[in-house]
Amino acid sequence: MFSFLLCLIVKVAIGQTVWHDPLGGDTLFIGGRGWNGEIGRSYNRFPERFRAMVRPAVWSLSQNSSGLYVDFVTNSEEIVVKYTVAEGKALSNVGYLAKSGVDLYSFDADGRTLWCSCFGAFDFGRATADTITFRYKLTYPDHRGREYRLYLPLYNKVEWMQIGTVAGSRFYFEPLSQERPIVCYGTSILQGASPSRTGLAWTNIIQRELDVPVYNLGFSGNGKMEDALFRILGETDARLFIIDCMPNMTSLPDSIVPRLTRGIRWLRTVSDAPILLAEHCGYNNSGTDKEKLDSYKRTNAELKKAYEGLVGEGVEGIGYITEEELGLSSDLDSQIDGVHANDIGMRLYADAYLKKISSLLDYHPLALYRPVRQRRDAPGYEWPIRHDRVVTRNRTTDPEILLIGNSITHYWSGEPYDPHHSGEKSWHKLFGKRRVTNMGFGWDRIENIFWRFYHGELDNCRPQHIFLMAGTNNIHQNTNEEIASGVRALVDFLRAKQPQAKVHVVKIYPRRGMEKRMEEVNRLIARQMPDDGMIDIIDVTPQLTSSDGKIIEELFSDGLHPNEKGYERIASVYKKYIEK
């Protein structure tokens, strides 16, 4: 009987729900907005200070949680989200799921984006004050936990929220990204009218696909390019501004040129970030309503006039996206009511913006190596947290030397410190007091290194030497030729981003049972490298293999990762290049 009761108690305990509050601790885990600390414990987009700066309608809409999201990691087999909202739960042209619902996405160990459905398992209640509940059953949870992104309602004010997981599960909120955001200012379409659910708003789509912070400053019916809003935009350290206000300017066409000209001039006094101006997307009923056609065509003509005037003044970094490029007016099924984008329209918006953003920000990843995160390493090691630490270190210490690679690099030694180190003596003997960042990440493939390059690890520093060893973890996914071309592309990126640095391309270390293949890959890598005086090839294979080409087992801990003796031999080769 005692054993039965004990098992019953344990079963009940395991089935209990533990609740987590994104605003419940010292750190506020709300992505997708600026002024996070100043806003404090609310789900608003603006701090209280802005109330006196903007019209009451804008202030009211700023309390909607459009574009806000929460990132967390858990291995729970069930995730429950419960919260309350301040307003009615649907609009005439924005349904329950978009106006007041949440939307959950997941990222697997290889960085693949997955959507989490809770079909039939959400409850909005009968009255506005009722608690809303979304319950997600997850039948493929990773034992270490997967990354999740929860998008908040587009057209409502969240008053409080908690995320529940099964008792005993791992859970933690991920640190907020340190990257500069894309800041979008506009109308109801930008705020989120009218996809079927929250994650399909075009700002959320580009946030997910670019995996960078995106601030949604859309204000339904109130994107009117007022001076105060440009002052607010100027407070953000944006990597790109998007101004998409024309659908709210059809009744104010004569004010477009002066308002936009003043606004852009102001932004240029505080920021050199590119600015992308968007035309009115058009009305899908303009073929049967000439007044609608004339109104938005005149609006776009005025925008073009403002754009040409600014370019003529010599204002740099301004991009332009046309109605035709947005593509909504060419697809009669892209709008829900003749102007607001449905799911088709939101995808058209996102695709058009992604194309322009890639051009303005010089984001041109290889199709074969689309930049993604990963969570493949051993328990106790959190890839995004290490990335955050690398970004912080490179920004604050301006390292002289960067070592870029996978676990073989990671497990040598150095900062950011990790207790799983196998070569501390040789590390300190080699580098001494030099400022060095170890940018090795366990299980990283070429596509993961690209993600890190595009997401800030090479920013705010000017190293003298960069050691790169990449490709060993791609051997089961890619051909020898593909691996070599990927390494060459990484080198090209490094040369463009850090032209002052000497790039030392380290041939892939030999590994047990694959010595011949590594030799062939390395031959192709060497053949790919340009000879521009700033790139050289390092080969430590002779120090790690015997005369028959096999690895020297006593230099490795597992046939792949060197031990202290192995790292000593590697250090003896690196030393020659550091002292040049």
Side-chain angles (χ1 to χ4, degrees):
M1 178 63 71
F2 174 78
S3 298
F4 171 77
L5 291 175
L6 181 61
C7 290
L8 183 62
I9 290 169
V10 171
K11 185 174 181 179
V12 171
I14 292 174
Q16 290 178 343
T17 301
V18 177
W19 296 99
H20 314 275
D21 184 350
L23 302 179
D26 294 335
T27 302
L28 309 177
F29 294 101
I30 306 299
R33 70 180 182 187
W35 314 280
N36 213 28
E38 188 179 354
I39 291 172
R41 300 185 189 284
S42 78
Y43 294 93
N44 296 351
R45 291 180 287 163
F46 276 177
E48 180 66 28
R49 171 169 56 93
F50 291 172
R51 185 195 290 263
M53 297 173 57
V54 299
R55 291 180 292 106
V58 174
W59 173 253
S60 178
L61 289 163
S62 76
Q63 297 175 73
N64 294 167
S65 56
S66 311
L68 303 189
Y69 56 90
V70 178
D71 286 343
F72 59 91
V73 171
T74 186
N75 63 353
S76 179
E77 295 183 354
E78 181 178 62
I79 296 173
V80 182
V81 184
K82 64 179 183 179
Y83 58 102
T84 59
V85 294
E87 305 168 4
K89 295 171 183 175
L91 293 170
S92 58
N93 66 338
V94 183
Y96 277 91
L97 285 172
K99 183 181 193 300
S100 304
V102 295
D103 213 353
L104 186 66
Y105 285 77
S106 176
F107 307 92
D108 70 8
D110 293 326
R112 185 171 57 121
T113 302
L114 308 169
W115 178 62
C116 304
S117 170
C118 57
F119 176 72
F122 52 88
D123 183 6
F124 284 95
R126 295 180 178 273
T128 299
D130 291 346
T131 298
I132 302 172
T133 304
F134 279 64
R135 189 177 300 273
Y136 299 89
K137 293 286 188 180
L138 306 163
T139 56
Y140 296 101
D142 188 298
H143 71 281
R144 291 190 55 229
R146 279 185 175 175
E147 294 181 276
Y148 292 90
R149 180 164 297 148
L150 181 71
Y151 291 105
L152 304 190
L154 298 173
Y155 263 85
N156 219 324
K157 177 181 180 179
V158 175
E159 296 189 314
W160 69 269
M161 183 179 70
Q162 290 185 325
I163 299 169
T165 53
V166 176
S169 302
R170 297 187 68 213
F171 181 95
Y172 68 87
F173 291 110
E174 286 199 322
L176 298 180
S177 172
Q178 301 181 49
E179 295 185 69
R180 297 167 69 191
I182 296 173
V183 181
C184 307
Y185 169 46
T187 69
S188 55
I189 304 170
L190 196 153
Q191 179 171 345
S194 306
S196 59
R197 51 184 174 84
T198 305
L200 298 180
W202 70 259
T203 57
N204 286 342
I205 294 174
I206 65 170
Q207 187 279 320
R208 202 161 51 248
E209 297 200 7
L210 294 174
D211 204 7
V212 299
V214 175
Y215 296 173
N216 182 321
L217 299 184
F219 304 102
S220 185
N222 287 275
K224 298 185 177 180
M225 301 195 300
E226 293 145 310
D227 292 347
L229 268 298
F230 281 100
R231 300 276 170 166
I232 288 169
L233 293 178
E235 289 194 16
T236 64
D237 183 22
R239 73 170 67 195
L240 169 70
F241 294 104
I242 294 176
I243 311 298
D244 191 344
C245 291
M246 291 308 102
N248 285 163
M249 300 302 294
T250 54
S251 62
L252 301 165
D254 294 334
S255 68
I256 293 172
V257 172
R259 290 189 184 192
L260 187 61
T261 302
R262 285 198 307 271
I264 300 300
R265 286 172 178 167
W266 164 255
L267 282 181
R268 274 293 169 262
T269 67
V270 295
S271 174
D272 60 359
I275 302 169
L276 179 55
L277 306 179
E279 287 191 348
H280 194 305
C281 62
Y283 299 110
N284 278 4
N285 66 332
S286 61
T288 58
D289 189 332
K290 188 175 184 300
E291 184 178 343
K292 289 287 188 184
L293 176 67
D294 292 344
S295 68
Y296 90 78
K297 288 295 186 183
R298 183 186 176 191
T299 299
N300 287 343
E302 292 298 312
L303 177 69
K304 192 64 173 291
K305 185 188 302 183
Y307 165 74
E308 291 174 345
L310 289 163
V311 172
E313 289 180 13
V315 179
E316 297 182 348
I318 302 180
Y320 195 89
I321 188 166
T322 66
E323 167 205 349
E324 291 75 19
E325 289 174 304
L326 290 171
L328 274 73
S329 58
S330 63
D331 190 328
L332 296 179
D333 296 325
S334 63
Q335 296 173 341
I336 193 171
D337 54 6
V339 62
H340 295 102
N342 57 23
D343 292 351
I344 297 171
M346 288 292 177
R347 173 45 71 179
L348 290 170
Y349 258 102
D351 287 346
Y353 273 119
L354 287 167
K355 185 176 181 180
K356 284 289 183 177
I357 291 169
S358 295
S359 175
L360 288 170
L361 298 183
D362 195 23
Y363 178 75
H364 301 290
L366 300 177
L368 182 62
Y369 294 113
R370 186 177 67 87
V372 291
R373 312 182 190 208
Q374 59 97 350
R375 285 182 57 78
R376 291 184 292 268
D377 207 0
Y381 165 61
E382 298 298 343
W383 195 91
I385 292 177
R386 182 168 176 81
H387 164 68
D388 189 67
R389 293 171 65 194
V390 167
V391 171
T392 300
R393 176 172 174 78
N394 287 350
R395 183 182 67 238
T396 56
T397 66
D398 191 16
E400 304 164 65
I401 301 171
L402 304 180
L403 270 69
I404 301 169
N406 46 59
S407 57
I408 299 170
T409 301
H410 181 189
Y411 295 154
W412 192 347
S413 189
E415 296 290 343
Y417 183 75
D418 187 296
H420 189 163
H421 280 161
S422 301
E424 294 206 33
K425 290 182 181 179
S426 58
W427 177 280
H428 292 298
K429 182 179 178 180
L430 173 63
F431 295 117
K433 294 184 179 180
R434 292 183 176 93
R435 299 186 308 278
V436 184
T437 299
N438 184 327
M439 291 170 58
F441 284 62
W443 271 108
D444 256 20
R445 298 174 184 158
I446 291 170
E447 57 266 32
N448 308 127
I449 298 174
F450 269 123
W451 188 96
R452 297 196 278 122
F453 284 1
Y454 277 117
H455 289 262
E457 290 192 13
L458 296 175
D459 295 347
N460 305 301
C461 62
R462 289 179 58 80
Q464 300 166 21
H465 298 273
I466 299 176
F467 292 83
L468 171 71
M469 185 180 69
T472 192
N473 289 324
N474 289 85
I475 60 173
H476 298 301
Q477 288 75 37
N478 300 101
T479 66
N480 295 353
E481 291 76 12
E482 289 171 345
I483 293 171
S485 65
V487 174
R488 167 60 192 267
L490 289 172
V491 171
D492 289 343
F493 195 110
L494 288 170
R495 292 291 296 118
K497 187 73 173 180
Q498 298 287 352
Q500 81 292 335
K502 187 82 172 185
V503 178
H504 310 288
V505 181
V506 183
K507 289 185 176 181
I508 301 172
Y509 296 172
R511 53 193 296 170
R512 181 193 298 143
M514 303 194 75
E515 292 92 342
K516 287 294 184 182
R517 183 172 181 195
M518 294 301 97
E519 181 181 344
E520 173 63 18
V521 173
N522 286 333
R523 184 180 63 80
L524 294 172
I525 289 174
R527 183 187 297 173
Q528 288 265 1
M529 291 305 117
D531 183 14
D532 66 355
M534 294 298 288
I535 299 170
D536 50 34
I537 307 293
I538 297 179
D539 189 0
V540 301
T541 302
Q543 280 69 35
L544 301 176
T545 55
S546 57
S547 58
D548 62 359
K550 303 296 185 183
I551 66 168
I552 302 173
E553 292 287 348
E554 66 182 37
L555 302 179
F556 292 83
S557 61
D558 57 4
L560 173 64
H561 297 91
N563 56 25
E564 182 67 67
K565 291 181 179 179
Y567 282 120
E568 286 178 2
R569 295 200 175 192
I570 293 166
S572 68
V573 178
Y574 280 37
K575 182 179 180 180
K576 304 172 187 176
Y577 294 88
I578 292 174
E579 294 178 349
K580 282 184 178 180

